[in-house]
Amino acid sequence: MSTGFFPVDKIKYEGPDSTNPFAFRHYNPDEILLGKRMEEHLRFATAYWHSFAWEGGDPFGGRTFDRPWYPQDNMDLAKKKADIAFELFTALGTPYYCFHDADVRPEGANFAENTANLNAIVDIFEQKQAETGVKLLWGTANLFSQARFMSGASTNPDPDVFAFSAATIKTCMDATMRLGGENYVLWGGREGYETLLNTDLGKEDAQMGRMLNMVVEYKHKIGFKGAILVEPKPQEPSKHQYDYDAATVYGFLKRHGLENEVKLNLEQGHAILAGHSFEHEIATATSLGILGSIDMNRNDYQSGWDTDQFPNNVPEVALAYYHILKDGGLKTGGTNFDAKVRRQSIDAADLLHGHIGGMDICARGLKAAAAIIEDGTLDKELADRYAGWEGEEAQKMLKGEYSLEDIQKYVEAADVNPKAKSGKQEYLENVVNRFV
Amino acid sequence: MSTGFFPVDKIKYEGPDSTNPFAFRHYNPDEILLGKRMEEHLRFATAYWHSFAWEGGDPFGGRTFDRPWYPQDNMDLAKKKADIAFELFTALGTPYYCFHDADVRPEGANFAENTANLNAIVDIFEQKQAETGVKLLWGTANLFSQARFMSGASTNPDPDVFAFSAATIKTCMDATMRLGGENYVLWGGREGYETLLNTDLGKEDAQMGRMLNMVVEYKHKIGFKGAILVEPKPQEPSKHQYDYDAATVYGFLKRHGLENEVKLNLEQGHAILAGHSFEHEIATATSLGILGSIDMNRNDYQSGWDTDQFPNNVPEVALAYYHILKDGGLKTGGTNFDAKVRRQSIDAADLLHGHIGGMDICARGLKAAAAIIEDGTLDKELADRYAGWEGEEAQKMLKGEYSLEDIQKYVEAADVNPKAKSGKQEYLENVVNRFV
Amino acid sequence: MSTGFFPVDKIKYEGPDSTNPFAFRHYNPDEILLGKRMEEHLRFATAYWHSFAWEGGDPFGGRTFDRPWYPQDNMDLAKKKADIAFELFTALGTPYYCFHDADVRPEGANFAENTANLNAIVDIFEQKQAETGVKLLWGTANLFSQARFMSGASTNPDPDVFAFSAATIKTCMDATMRLGGENYVLWGGREGYETLLNTDLGKEDAQMGRMLNMVVEYKHKIGFKGAILVEPKPQEPSKHQYDYDAATVYGFLKRHGLENEVKLNLEQGHAILAGHSFEHEIATATSLGILGSIDMNRNDYQSGWDTDQFPNNVPEVALAYYHILKDGGLKTGGTNFDAKVRRQSIDAADLLHGHIGGMDICARGLKAAAAIIEDGTLDKELADRYAGWEGEEAQKMLKGEYSLEDIQKYVEAADVNPKAKSGKQEYLENVVNRFV
Amino acid sequence: MSTGFFPVDKIKYEGPDSTNPFAFRHYNPDEILLGKRMEEHLRFATAYWHSFAWEGGDPFGGRTFDRPWYPQDNMDLAKKKADIAFELFTALGTPYYCFHDADVRPEGANFAENTANLNAIVDIFEQKQAETGVKLLWGTANLFSQARFMSGASTNPDPDVFAFSAATIKTCMDATMRLGGENYVLWGGREGYETLLNTDLGKEDAQMGRMLNMVVEYKHKIGFKGAILVEPKPQEPSKHQYDYDAATVYGFLKRHGLENEVKLNLEQGHAILAGHSFEHEIATATSLGILGSIDMNRNDYQSGWDTDQFPNNVPEVALAYYHILKDGGLKTGGTNFDAKVRRQSIDAADLLHGHIGGMDICARGLKAAAAIIEDGTLDKELADRYAGWEGEEAQKMLKGEYSLEDIQKYVEAADVNPKAKSGKQEYLENVVNRFV
């Protein structure tokens, strides 16, 4: 029986011409693209964090939302929140959801209370998952909101905070395992620094490397089949965050022997904050073999903080999915909306509008990406551009058969004097624009 | 015999109260700091590139300078340029200089002409070094200005450009070796992309990795004792440059097995463009063991392109040297002014003013950094902050003796519930301000 | 008779399904939108500057293009350039073109030569306009490239540069008048500063205000019917440019009594550099009544300099035209492509691809904007949101009939205690996405 | 009798060699500079807002501070907060303080309760001012934190919010008047927009203009002698804030006839967010005659949000005071620390460290600025650079005696062909560095 919080119970696909604000115009789960259902391509997840735990505050003002599950400080209201959360998941038809421990349970006075509260909620989630068929994309531990984490979790100068964090991660991995979660995520919001004056980078790197190794060891021990995912972000709340971007995390993983064990959860807004396009981060991760999952929430290009808005630009989203499809698609990962409605969007209906719009944008982006791939022009142009590298001399250079001296001789003998060839950027952009 | 280009022949130390614009007020080469002469700490180098090859142009206007060595297209003028360049090095008393091949020789019609031109200039440099005592900090190849490099050098889709680049690097390494250069630098200005639509990141990474391996192999073959240095920059001229920042280059080196062979040449302006402070890049490099040398030229904080200005802010410069001193100082590296006077600074005197000011700022920064280290407060505060990690349980966690489960047991048994401790940032900043 | 420079002579509309890279898929000049032909809405112009004067250089490399009109230093080649330029205008069917004096004539040794060269080219342009029907959207003077302008034109500390600039503007206004130009543009690339240390802001403001007043006086004297347009840009090449953005130029105009005489030429890329969206700049200008014309070339969101790329994002372009249509459309203004193909796009075909893609994107944006307006939902929502201001008390407050004290009494008497209402941002974004 | 909250009761000047962390090393109130006491130059103020109302939260975490005046929801604790606040003012010896209504009084259920609470606190402040001699630099109304202001205060689409805001401003102006405040400030944190889709710029401009006119009218009516100050900020919390920067506010004032009635309260951090240096904003304001007061808190150059840190860089601060001194110094304005200690700086001592360090940095900056002015080199160089404008022809051009045609004749007759002169930027920077 519905709580009646949302104005409609179920969002359905009505096609592009629908003007019903509570219908999908593009997201049609059963539509087949490149031989697979759209739902299976996109693997949408709704996030507890922004839709249910955030209360509309910002650095200059407090709560603007008025929800029946406020204040979020006791188990009864946590249960009511869960009821309404699953109503949202069901209304939208997102096959997955995601959560931090602190999103779903009241904060306890100590570790034992936190654990007990979390486990009580997991009992409820197990039942709700069974009833609704909604699955868990990933779980994670919030190791940044409570004051004890103000100087970091695994990178805290106080080893007791490291211990508290490790124990908390274990309980969240256990919860994720119990709920059949398909991934486990680590976002290190305060694993970084405010000032180098009080920071020992080497020590903190060693601590963070040890923690992630323990996570991987525990994953194997309990037989968790999902992926361990690190979520890069360059800064905010920290002045500098160690998991800066995809390339930086790759270096960290390699340094600690984890490049084959851990993948990335990439977020569009975090890419922007790091000075990258989202497609750059995705393409970088796929080229390094470490793409895991995505958070499909954009940043405002004129704002220097994380705005976590629902996606709204088909051409950008299409290029993101283009690189994902070229990588073989999302495997255990999904498309999570780590997005929040604006703090002026205070109605329950706004939560629906945000997700409906976001899902439709992703559907359009995915369809465009699939069409680009089926068309094949881009792939052919790319292959042509590098075709020279298939030549004999080229392969010798690439495979290590030639030294600098050998190459100098070749250049002198052949008077190699290459002429520039057009990069054809505008033409290729026009090809893309046939599909977006 | 002087060409008379510069208004004064020799800049001398006159002390802080001097109002002579052609004197040092702080750079006193023989002053002893932490047991070493200031000159040996700073290891200043003057760059040919900005002071002699750049003509004052920018994207919206052409040459503003009028130099006796223009146009830079024949050997006679290249020799005249060398005469005046060494007059600058001598006037300033910078013990080192640096150059790209294209800075010092006219552009030839093909590889053979370039090589011949370069070698003719190296003959002259050898003699001038002997006459003046000025030494070569590093040499490098300009693989970005000529049109053939427009789509990259080692990462070009055309293997002939790779070959041309490899051969050119070899000639520049040979030149550096002949001149007793203490390092060899690679800056990949066009090793990156303008658009992902025409770019295969994986292929280009393999090409770039192979090139750098060949460089290292050749270094060992010829017995070059200096360091191989990669210079990070996030973008410009490329939309994205692969050697984005220190952490990204670390990942690249590790991926290609080069983390013990190659170090970094860090530039303040490039750090800023990558969203970092200079001290961040230096501290990151030292924590990873890959700091090599620095380009001490700042970026304007309000400009989104590389302004390459002389350093001008003692507090910032002091923190840079603080991290360098904590790393044991510059070894084969130095303090290079990869800086250019503004395009409105068209007089010969302006070249002196820029360098004099920059050298004095560095001298003040170094003195402050040495004083901070001698004072010891910062180091003590840092040690205190992490002291808890010396404890028994902490070491077990760090050394891998504890698993997540062990730690959970410890947390539960001891009811670990850490209280936050002040990070003391403002106090530490005040300590620094006693010295800068 | 064609020079044969371009691979095709005429780009035609073939509809959305065309895969011909040399056809329009969306730009159909005769299509009627909101009762007006698409061509008359968009009023496209091709810019001489980037397509014919720029040679592919950037701060780190020189010319990459190889054009039959290079080097651009004599009248014969200037005439050949004009031939090919008008072939481009004709092939694309852009009804307008734009130029700086320095784009079209060789640089003379002094003012008299510049004037003679310009007038000789204007003779040719007059004939070509008559032959082809192509018209002049605007002319302008390049007062930033030659070395004499390095410290500004009207704001130069040297009054002789002010004089040279004023005289040059007069010749360019005369040329624009002769050619039937519909606007005259001023972009102050070096009207700003590199350092405040050598700059007197008050003096330079007075100089710039006097110059613009002289321009307006001369316009009226010669009976020029077009608009005088100032083009805002925040920086580059200057560290700070006085015509920072729309709001700043408004203040300047108001200060010098010109707010009813001068309008703005807004550029998307300049908006981005100033920290604004393009729609912000357009909406600001329309709300202040000073929108004149647009340069429809985007900046890269990750690059901190002006990239001047062809537009490529329909959702963004649609919102730009939405605000233009709400302002009654472009009047004497137009849609100018102040855009350049990438420096790797070295083929003549690339010049076509860039413009074709840009024109199609604008056509799609315009169609979407017209559809949003015809739909009416956005306008209705906006009217509803502010409807309370039609009330009696509200009008008294707005019209100045109430003082703070009167309002306090009203608030206390009525216990005014307003409740927040949803801003509905996500819903409104979804409405827009039905059309873009 | 002290509450004992702070570890020391009084911070004294001990001179540059002091290592006492609770002493001034540079701020010596009685030191004479340019004929005036340092205290009268700097006119320091401590802000209630960041030091007493902010609890250490950020967008990713809650309260970290633990203060005896928490929770801030009743009058008894508000009184305790006032006791400790005045202990801080007294300990530091800042002659002034500043406050928002919401900083000092508990939030009431409606306007009447807010007013009553405010007035009760004003009674206390009156007494404390009398006891301590501390004065009020400015008061202001917080019209952005409570949910009713989420869509703006004067620019709200709901006229009832405008009314509530107007009435609140009146009570805050009354409080400021009673307390002898020397200025009244308006910062429009939510006077802007989140999306243009739901915003009517013209309507909101009219509303905001009317409000500011009412404020000025009321000021004159009650005989308030202080200045009305608007505080520019480009964004945050709003995506766009109307009072973007100094130049934008100037245009707004001019549009609404207020340019002689209202001045600016400039903040270093806000300047940075707007893409400007602090000295730019100050020099712009002084050149327009609208500098009022300053908030001396810096932003981190790598963070895209307002970090509100204590000033920490003497060279930057010196240039700020240089422009202020050239404008005749702060008149009714002051140097307010709208700065907050980092959220990890949780001890009472940290509040002292932040202010002590900030005051010492300002003292050093002021001394350097005064020395630059006394030296006179910069002023002389500036005068020399523009000296040509004193010439006869130059004055005719500037004064409007010449038209474009007259100038053309002059240029042709004299063959005016100006040669560029060096801008001497590096030399001038070196001059400054003799003093900072």
Side-chain angles (χ1 to χ4, degrees), chain C residues 68-376:
Chain C
W69 60 87
Y70 289 175
Q72 307 185 51
D73 60 1
N74 68 68
M75 282 299 297
D76 285 343
L77 289 167
K79 286 172 195 166
K80 178 173 251 181
K81 177 160 63 167
D83 290 339
I84 297 176
F86 275 79
E87 285 178 10
L88 180 63
F89 309 154
T90 306
L92 296 170
T94 51
Y96 293 98
Y97 74 112
C98 305
F99 69 86
H100 301 80
D101 54 351
D103 304 342
V104 300
R105 54 122 182 93
E107 189 71 27
N110 63 4
F111 176 75
E113 276 188 35
N114 278 349
T115 306
N117 288 347
L118 177 63
N119 289 340
I121 286 289
V122 169
D123 293 342
I124 293 168
F125 282 5
E126 268 192 325
Q127 186 182 337
K128 289 197 165 287
Q129 289 188 191
E131 287 167 12
T132 60
V134 175
K135 290 169 286 183
L136 180 63
L137 185 64
W138 46 258
T140 188
N142 176 329
L143 303 175
F144 47 88
S145 291
Q146 216 274 354
R148 71 174 66 85
F149 303 117
M150 74 176 193
S151 305
S154 71
T155 62
N156 204 291
D158 179 352
D160 277 356
V161 180
F162 181 98
F164 196 100
S165 303
T168 301
I169 290 173
K170 181 186 165 293
T171 62
C172 291
M173 290 180 73
D174 290 341
T176 302
M177 178 84 177
R178 268 185 63 196
L179 294 169
E182 303 193 14
N183 306 271
Y184 184 81
V185 165
L186 299 106
W187 174 63
R190 302 207 194 265
E191 311 292 28
Y193 64 79
E194 286 305 303
T195 175
L196 282 170
L197 296 179
N198 68 14
T199 304
D200 186 317
L201 293 178
K203 278 192 162 64
E204 299 204 356
D205 179 72
Q207 294 170 209
M208 197 160 90
R210 182 64 208 129
M211 181 71 88
L212 192 53
N213 264 294
M214 284 198 297
V215 167
V216 168
E217 289 156 14
Y218 188 62
K219 164 194 156 155
H220 289 303
K221 172 151 190 204
I222 62 175
F224 180 68
K225 298 299 175 207
I228 303 296
L229 304 177
V230 165
E231 180 170 330
K233 190 179 180 187
Q235 60 170 186
E236 200 213 21
S238 302
K239 171 184 165 44
H240 177 83
Q241 193 169 317
Y242 296 132
D243 298 327
Y244 198 82
D245 59 8
T248 300
V249 175
Y250 172 86
F252 172 82
L253 295 178
K254 189 88 181 161
R255 184 158 66 251
H256 295 284
L258 294 166
E259 71 274 19
N260 298 317
E261 292 284 356
V262 176
K263 296 196 185 307
L264 301 181
N265 185 41
L266 293 173
E267 177 171 319
Q268 202 253 18
H270 297 177
I272 301 298
L273 287 178
H276 303 307
S277 66
F278 194 27
E279 71 191 272
H280 168 84
E281 283 292 88
I282 294 176
T284 298
T286 63
S287 82
L288 297 169
I290 55 171
L291 177 66
S293 193
I294 60 170
D295 278 3
M296 186 50 100
N297 39 297
R298 73 185 159 104
N299 225 42
D300 185 288
Y301 282 113
Q302 281 86 43
S303 304
W305 61 93
D306 210 6
T307 62
D308 284 323
Q309 291 171 265
F310 284 90
N312 198 24
N313 192 292
V314 173
E316 290 180 2
V317 167
L319 288 172
Y321 283 114
Y322 172 69
H323 288 286
I324 290 170
L325 291 178
K326 284 181 54 161
D327 194 46
L330 296 164
K331 284 116 198 165
T332 65
T335 299
N336 178 41
F337 291 113
D338 192 21
K340 58 189 184 200
V341 293
R342 302 302 85 198
R343 90 189 272 274
Q344 296 182 42
S345 299
I346 58 179
D347 295 343
D350 294 316
L351 279 172
L352 294 174
H353 293 314
H355 285 88
I356 293 167
M359 291 167 77
D360 265 352
I361 291 286
C362 289
R364 290 172 69 184
L366 177 72
K367 285 191 276 190
I372 292 170
I373 284 175
E374 285 185 327
D375 172 72

Side-chain angles (χ1 to χ4, degrees), chain D residues 113-219:
Chain D
E113 276 189 35
N114 278 349
T115 307
N117 288 346
L118 177 62
N119 289 339
I121 286 290
V122 169
D123 292 342
I124 293 167
F125 283 4
E126 268 192 326
Q127 187 181 337
K128 290 196 164 287
Q129 291 186 191
E131 287 166 11
T132 60
V134 175
K135 292 169 286 182
L136 180 63
L137 185 64
W138 47 258
T140 188
N142 176 328
L143 303 176
F144 47 89
S145 290
Q146 215 275 353
R148 72 172 66 85
F149 303 118
M150 73 177 194
S151 306
S154 71
T155 63
N156 204 291
D158 179 353
D160 276 357
V161 180
F162 181 99
F164 196 100
S165 304
T168 301
I169 289 172
K170 181 185 166 296
T171 63
C172 291
M173 289 180 74
D174 290 342
T176 302
M177 179 83 177
R178 269 184 63 197
L179 293 168
E182 303 193 12
N183 307 270
Y184 183 81
V185 165
L186 299 106
W187 174 64
R190 302 207 196 266
E191 311 292 29
Y193 63 79
E194 286 305 302
T195 175
L196 282 170
L197 296 179
N198 68 14
T199 304
D200 187 316
L201 293 178
K203 278 192 162 63
E204 299 203 357
D205 178 72
Q207 294 169 210
M208 197 160 93
R210 181 64 208 129
M211 181 70 88
L212 192 54
N213 265 295
M214 284 197 298
V215 167
V216 168
E217 289 156 14
Y218 187 63
K219 163 194 158 156

Side-chain angles (χ1 to χ4, degrees), chain A residues 2-282:
Chain A
S2 159
T3 63
F5 178 75
F6 292 107
V8 293
D9 289 340
K10 187 70 197 167
I11 309 301
K12 294 180 190 137
Y13 174 71
E14 296 187 1
D17 297 330
S18 172
T19 59
N20 176 2
F22 296 112
F24 296 118
R25 294 181 300 110
H26 300 280
Y27 179 58
N28 182 5
D30 296 317
E31 185 173 333
I32 303 296
L33 296 167
L34 302 176
K36 195 156 76 174
R37 292 175 63 249
M38 192 186 281
E39 185 180 41
E40 294 165 66
H41 275 292
L42 290 167
R43 297 172 57 85
F44 280 130
T46 306
Y48 231 89
W49 166 241
H50 280 129
S51 292
F52 295 95
W54 181 61
E55 300 184 346
D58 69 19
F60 293 85
R63 172 190 303 184
T64 58
F65 302 151
D66 184 18
R67 308 295 197 208
W69 61 86
Y70 290 175
Q72 308 185 53
D73 61 1
N74 68 68
M75 282 299 296
D76 285 343
L77 289 168
K79 287 172 195 168
K80 178 173 252 180
K81 178 160 63 169
D83 290 339
I84 297 176
F86 275 80
E87 285 178 11
L88 180 63
F89 309 154
T90 306
L92 296 169
T94 51
Y96 293 98
Y97 73 112
C98 305
F99 68 87
H100 301 80
D101 54 351
D103 304 341
V104 301
R105 54 121 180 94
E107 189 71 28
N110 62 4
F111 177 74
E113 277 188 35
N114 278 350
T115 307
N117 287 346
L118 177 62
N119 289 340
I121 286 290
V122 170
D123 293 341
I124 293 168
F125 281 5
E126 268 191 325
Q127 186 180 337
K128 289 197 165 289
Q129 290 187 190
E131 287 167 11
T132 60
V134 174
K135 291 169 287 184
L136 180 62
L137 185 65
W138 46 259
T140 188
N142 176 328
L143 303 176
F144 47 89
S145 291
Q146 217 274 353
R148 71 173 65 86
F149 303 117
M150 74 177 192
S151 305
S154 72
T155 61
N156 203 293
D158 179 352
D160 277 356
V161 180
F162 181 98
F164 196 100
S165 303
T168 301
I169 289 172
K170 181 186 166 294
T171 62
C172 291
M173 291 180 73
D174 290 342
T176 301
M177 179 84 176
R178 268 185 63 195
L179 293 170
E182 303 194 13
N183 307 270
Y184 184 81
V185 165
L186 299 107
W187 174 64
R190 301 206 196 267
E191 311 291 29
Y193 64 79
E194 286 306 302
T195 175
L196 282 169
L197 296 179
N198 68 14
T199 303
D200 186 317
L201 292 178
K203 279 192 160 62
E204 299 204 356
D205 179 72
Q207 293 170 210
M208 197 160 91
R210 181 65 207 128
M211 181 70 88
L212 193 53
N213 265 296
M214 285 198 296
V215 166
V216 168
E217 288 157 15
Y218 187 63
K219 164 195 156 154
H220 290 303
K221 171 152 191 202
I222 62 175
F224 179 68
K225 299 297 177 209
I228 302 297
L229 304 176
V230 165
E231 180 170 332
K233 190 179 179 188
Q235 60 169 186
E236 200 212 23
S238 302
K239 172 186 164 44
H240 177 83
Q241 193 168 318
Y242 297 133
D243 298 327
Y244 198 83
D245 59 8
T248 301
V249 175
Y250 172 84
F252 172 81
L253 295 177
K254 189 90 181 158
R255 184 158 67 252
H256 295 284
L258 292 166
E259 73 274 19
N260 297 318
E261 292 284 357
V262 176
K263 297 196 184 307
L264 301 181
N265 185 40
L266 294 173
E267 177 170 319
Q268 201 253 18
H270 297 177
I272 301 298
L273 287 177
H276 303 306
S277 66
F278 193 26
E279 71 191 273
H280 168 84
E281 283 292 88
I282 294 175

Side-chain angles (χ1 to χ4, degrees), chain B residues 312 345 350 364 426 433 436, chain D residues 312 345 364 422 426 433 436:
Chain B
N312 198 25
S345 298
D350 294 317
R364 291 172 68 185
E426 292 78 10
N433 278 321
V436 297
Chain D
N312 198 24
S345 299
R364 291 172 68 184
S422 173
E426 291 78 11
N433 279 320
V436 297

Side-chain angles (χ1 to χ4, degrees), chain D residues 161-427:
Chain D
V161 180
F162 181 99
F164 196 100
S165 304
T168 301
I169 289 172
K170 181 185 166 296
T171 63
C172 291
M173 289 180 74
D174 290 342
T176 302
M177 179 83 177
R178 269 184 63 197
L179 293 168
E182 303 193 12
N183 307 270
Y184 183 81
V185 165
L186 299 106
W187 174 64
R190 302 207 196 266
E191 311 292 29
Y193 63 79
E194 286 305 302
T195 175
L196 282 170
L197 296 179
N198 68 14
T199 304
D200 187 316
L201 293 178
K203 278 192 162 63
E204 299 203 357
D205 178 72
Q207 294 169 210
M208 197 160 93
R210 181 64 208 129
M211 181 70 88
L212 192 54
N213 265 295
M214 284 197 298
V215 167
V216 168
E217 289 156 14
Y218 187 63
K219 163 194 158 156
H220 289 303
K221 174 153 189 200
I222 62 176
F224 180 69
K225 299 298 176 208
I228 303 296
L229 304 177
V230 165
E231 180 170 330
K233 189 180 180 188
Q235 60 170 185
E236 200 212 21
S238 302
K239 171 185 164 45
H240 177 83
Q241 193 168 318
Y242 297 133
D243 298 328
Y244 198 82
D245 59 8
T248 300
V249 175
Y250 173 85
F252 172 82
L253 295 178
K254 189 87 181 161
R255 185 158 65 250
H256 295 284
L258 293 166
E259 73 274 18
N260 297 318
E261 292 284 356
V262 176
K263 297 196 185 305
L264 300 181
N265 185 39
L266 294 173
E267 177 171 321
Q268 201 253 19
H270 297 178
I272 301 298
L273 287 177
H276 303 307
S277 66
F278 193 27
E279 70 191 271
H280 168 84
E281 283 292 89
I282 293 174
T284 297
T286 62
S287 82
L288 297 169
I290 54 172
L291 177 66
S293 194
I294 59 170
D295 277 3
M296 187 49 100
N297 40 296
R298 72 185 160 107
N299 225 43
D300 185 288
Y301 283 112
Q302 282 85 42
S303 304
W305 61 93
D306 211 5
T307 62
D308 284 323
Q309 292 171 265
F310 284 90
N312 198 24
N313 192 291
V314 173
E316 290 179 3
V317 167
L319 289 172
Y321 283 113
Y322 172 68
H323 288 286
I324 289 169
L325 290 178
K326 285 183 52 161
D327 194 46
L330 296 164
K331 283 116 199 165
T332 66
T335 299
N336 179 40
F337 291 114
D338 192 20
K340 58 191 185 199
V341 293
R342 302 302 84 197
R343 89 189 272 274
Q344 296 181 43
S345 299
I346 57 179
D347 295 344
D350 294 317
L351 279 172
L352 294 174
H353 292 313
H355 285 87
I356 293 167
M359 291 166 77
D360 264 352
I361 291 286
C362 290
R364 291 172 68 184
L366 177 73
K367 285 191 278 191
I372 293 170
I373 285 174
E374 286 185 326
D375 172 73
T377 305
L378 273 196
D379 281 347
K380 185 180 172 312
E381 290 283 346
L382 198 63
D384 287 353
R385 194 165 189 240
Y386 293 87
W389 280 98
E390 305 306 316
E392 190 180 350
E393 296 287 339
Q395 285 293 308
K396 281 182 182 160
M397 294 193 294
L398 194 59
K399 295 286 170 56
E401 294 172 34
Y402 271 6
S403 68
L404 289 188
E405 290 152 297
D406 298 327
I407 298 177
Q408 183 180 13
K409 280 176 205 147
Y410 161 65
V411 168
E412 288 177 340
D415 193 11
V416 172
N417 208 353
K419 291 286 168 287
K421 288 169 206 142
S422 173
K424 300 170 88 169
Q425 181 166 340
E426 291 78 11
Y427 167 67

Side-chain angles (χ1 to χ4, degrees), chain B residues 179-379:
Chain B
L179 293 168
E182 304 193 13
N183 307 270
Y184 184 81
V185 165
L186 299 105
W187 174 63
R190 301 206 195 266
E191 312 290 28
Y193 64 79
E194 285 306 302
T195 175
L196 282 169
L197 296 179
N198 68 14
T199 304
D200 187 318
L201 292 178
K203 279 193 161 62
E204 299 203 356
D205 179 72
Q207 294 169 210
M208 198 161 90
R210 181 66 208 125
M211 182 71 87
L212 193 53
N213 265 295
M214 285 197 296
V215 167
V216 168
E217 288 156 15
Y218 188 63
K219 163 194 156 154
H220 289 302
K221 172 151 191 205
I222 62 176
F224 180 69
K225 299 299 176 208
I228 303 296
L229 303 177
V230 165
E231 179 170 329
K233 190 180 180 187
Q235 60 171 186
E236 199 212 23
S238 302
K239 172 186 164 44
H240 178 83
Q241 193 169 318
Y242 296 132
D243 298 327
Y244 197 83
D245 60 7
T248 300
V249 176
Y250 173 85
F252 172 81
L253 295 177
K254 189 90 180 158
R255 184 158 65 251
H256 295 284
L258 293 166
E259 72 274 19
N260 297 319
E261 292 284 357
V262 176
K263 297 196 184 307
L264 300 181
N265 185 40
L266 293 173
E267 177 170 322
Q268 201 253 20
H270 297 178
I272 301 297
L273 288 177
H276 303 307
S277 65
F278 193 28
E279 69 190 273
H280 168 84
E281 284 292 90
I282 293 175
T284 296
T286 62
S287 82
L288 297 168
I290 54 172
L291 177 65
S293 193
I294 59 170
D295 277 3
M296 186 50 100
N297 39 296
R298 72 186 159 104
N299 224 44
D300 185 287
Y301 283 113
Q302 282 85 42
S303 304
W305 61 94
D306 210 4
T307 62
D308 283 323
Q309 292 171 265
F310 284 90
N312 198 25
N313 192 293
V314 173
E316 290 179 2
V317 167
L319 289 172
Y321 283 113
Y322 172 68
H323 288 285
I324 289 169
L325 290 177
K326 285 182 53 160
D327 194 46
L330 296 164
K331 283 115 199 166
T332 66
T335 299
N336 179 39
F337 292 113
D338 192 20
K340 59 190 184 199
V341 293
R342 301 303 83 199
R343 90 189 271 274
Q344 296 181 43
S345 298
I346 58 179
D347 295 343
D350 294 317
L351 280 172
L352 294 173
H353 293 312
H355 285 88
I356 293 168
M359 292 167 76
D360 265 351
I361 292 286
C362 289
R364 291 172 68 185
L366 176 73
K367 285 189 278 190
I372 293 170
I373 284 174
E374 286 186 326
D375 172 73
T377 306
L378 274 197
D379 281 347

